[in-house]
Amino acid sequence: MVAGNNQAALQSRALTCGFRIAGTSLELLGRSEEDLHFSPGLEMFRSSEWVPDITVEVEWTGMLRPHFGTPVFESGSAWSVSKDERDFVFDFCSAVVSSNPYKRLHVNPDFTRARLLLSRAALDSHRPILPLEYPADELLITNYLAVHSFGVEVHGCGLIDSETGGHLFLGHSGAGKSTTARLWETFRNPEILSDDRIILRIENGELWMHGTPWHGEGQFASPGKARVNKIFILQHGHGNERVELTPSRAAGELFARAFPPFHSSIGLERTVEFLGRVVAIAPCFEFSFAPDASSVNSVLEFTHVAAAC
């Protein structure tokens, strides 16, 4: 009888789809097509062949009440996280949808398995349902990378120039990431991986940047990747000037523009360690730039000079 129940449960979860972001595969399991809806931004990251790093099972429940585990972190807007005996519990809330959580994510400590509970009471009148709607997808990927020391998400614009390769520009909101993306699109027509959020990983001692679905106001996104030899930290200016940063200052500036898991002491510790490895590979420069073609030419000239040395 138990075997029969298990078989029925497996059959009820026969529907699946997968995504691959920054070399990390996520599998979504559901009981109906409705459980597997996803945002258009994830379409280009969809994958048909993968061994899942993260498996998410979608379930429906009548109503979700606030979780009364140990509070860990409050984002201040869309989500909060608490802890039960073992797992992290993310509650997603919106005053537009419900006064109670409309979605809850139970995740194991190493972020490899999760149960995603959807509230019928909150969501029945809000169709279509997107189980992995931002920021749930981002939280799963970035926490998995941090906990396993595989990588870190940074606030940046990453692009691939056909002649000079990968260029990475980091910046806070308003620092000029989308402006930089548009300038390069106008004058060089590169592949733009993202104008807001880039994931950094280290492969065979080299630093690589990966595109993400989580774009900025320019709406640039691509699943591509490129090797990074140097990092530019954007500052507004009247001209174009570069100042190389010491490794210690560079690590601090990168951390200030990263998305570490503040709810996880292990994740924070491993993010700091990973950024130390990043600045040991790629020198960082504070880049004051003019918002015109001269800033693009300045980076290209610097790249050519560095390659010749």
Side-chain angles (χ1 to χ4, degrees):
M1 185 67 179
V2 173
N5 288 339
N6 288 340
Q7 183 64 32
L10 288 173
Q11 290 175 349
S12 72
R13 293 192 179 280
L15 297 178
T16 181
C17 66
F19 307 90
R20 189 167 179 83
I21 300 172
T24 302
S25 296
L26 188 153
E27 178 184 42
L28 190 64
L29 303 176
R31 294 185 174 91
S32 71
E33 292 291 345
E34 181 183 48
D35 297 345
L36 305 183
H37 285 168
F38 51 89
S39 65
L42 277 176
E43 177 62 45
M44 67 180 69
F45 293 84
R46 190 164 181 172
S47 174
S48 58
E49 297 182 8
W50 73 92
V51 175
D53 300 302
I54 306 168
T55 299
V56 182
E57 300 181 46
V58 179
E59 300 179 15
W60 285 87
T61 187
M63 178 180 289
L64 289 171
R65 301 290 186 184
H67 186 256
F68 292 106
T70 304
V72 176
F73 184 76
E74 170 63 58
S75 73
S77 55
W79 60 273
S80 61
V81 60
S82 56
K83 198 86 160 50
D84 60 16
E85 292 183 0
R86 179 174 180 271
D87 295 342
F88 288 106
V89 181
F90 292 82
D91 270 357
F92 299 85
C93 300
S94 169
V96 176
V97 178
S98 173
S99 58
N100 288 316
Y102 64 87
K103 182 165 64 178
R104 174 169 293 153
L105 191 63
H106 288 263
V107 194
N108 67 350
D110 62 1
F111 282 82
T112 57
R113 294 200 66 87
R115 289 173 60 231
L116 185 60
L117 301 178
L118 303 176
S119 166
R120 291 195 181 279
L123 294 174
D124 267 349
S125 60
H126 294 79
R127 305 285 173 165
I129 306 303
L130 307 175
L132 284 181
E133 184 179 22
Y134 177 87
D137 53 356
E138 182 186 44
L139 287 169
L140 285 165
I141 295 291
T142 57
N143 277 277
Y144 172 82
L145 292 172
V147 167
H148 295 276
S149 299
F150 290 156
V152 64
E153 183 184 39
V154 291
H155 214 147
C157 164
L159 54 89
I160 308 173
D161 182 76
S162 60
E163 294 183 12
T164 56
H167 298 283
L168 177 61
F169 305 89
L170 304 188
H172 295 300
S173 296
K177 297 183 300 298
S178 291
T179 297
T180 296
R182 291 191 185 100
L183 286 170
W184 281 77
E185 181 188 39
T186 299
F187 298 106
R188 298 292 292 183
N189 193 31
E191 178 184 358
I192 300 175
L193 303 179
S194 175
D195 62 333
D196 193 60
R197 305 195 179 200
I198 291 289
I199 288 176
L200 300 179
R201 301 195 65 165
I202 295 173
E203 303 172 23
N204 299 319
E206 296 179 332
L207 180 63
W208 288 75
M209 63 176 174
H210 296 252
T212 73
W214 314 303
H215 55 71
E217 63 181 38
Q219 300 188 17
F220 295 103
S222 167
K225 70 175 187 175
R227 188 160 57 90
V228 177
N229 293 319
K230 59 183 70 65
I231 299 172
F232 297 98
I233 298 174
L234 295 175
Q235 302 287 345
H236 289 295
H238 298 292
N240 302 296
E241 182 181 3
R242 295 176 305 275
V243 177
E244 186 168 2
L245 305 179
T246 63
S248 58
R249 184 182 168 193
E253 296 290 346
L254 263 61
F255 184 82
R257 292 161 180 81
F259 295 90
F262 288 107
H263 55 273
S264 168
S265 58
I266 293 176
L268 274 173
E269 179 181 336
R270 291 178 179 172
T271 295
V272 171
E273 183 272 334
F274 183 85
L275 292 176
R277 294 164 60 199
V278 167
V279 299
I281 295 171
C284 297
F285 299 84
E286 187 175 82
F287 182 40
S288 299
F289 74 104
D292 55 37
S294 67
S295 65
V296 177
N297 292 331
S298 175
V299 172
L300 292 172
E301 291 169 5
F302 181 51
T303 302
H304 287 308
V305 170
C309 294

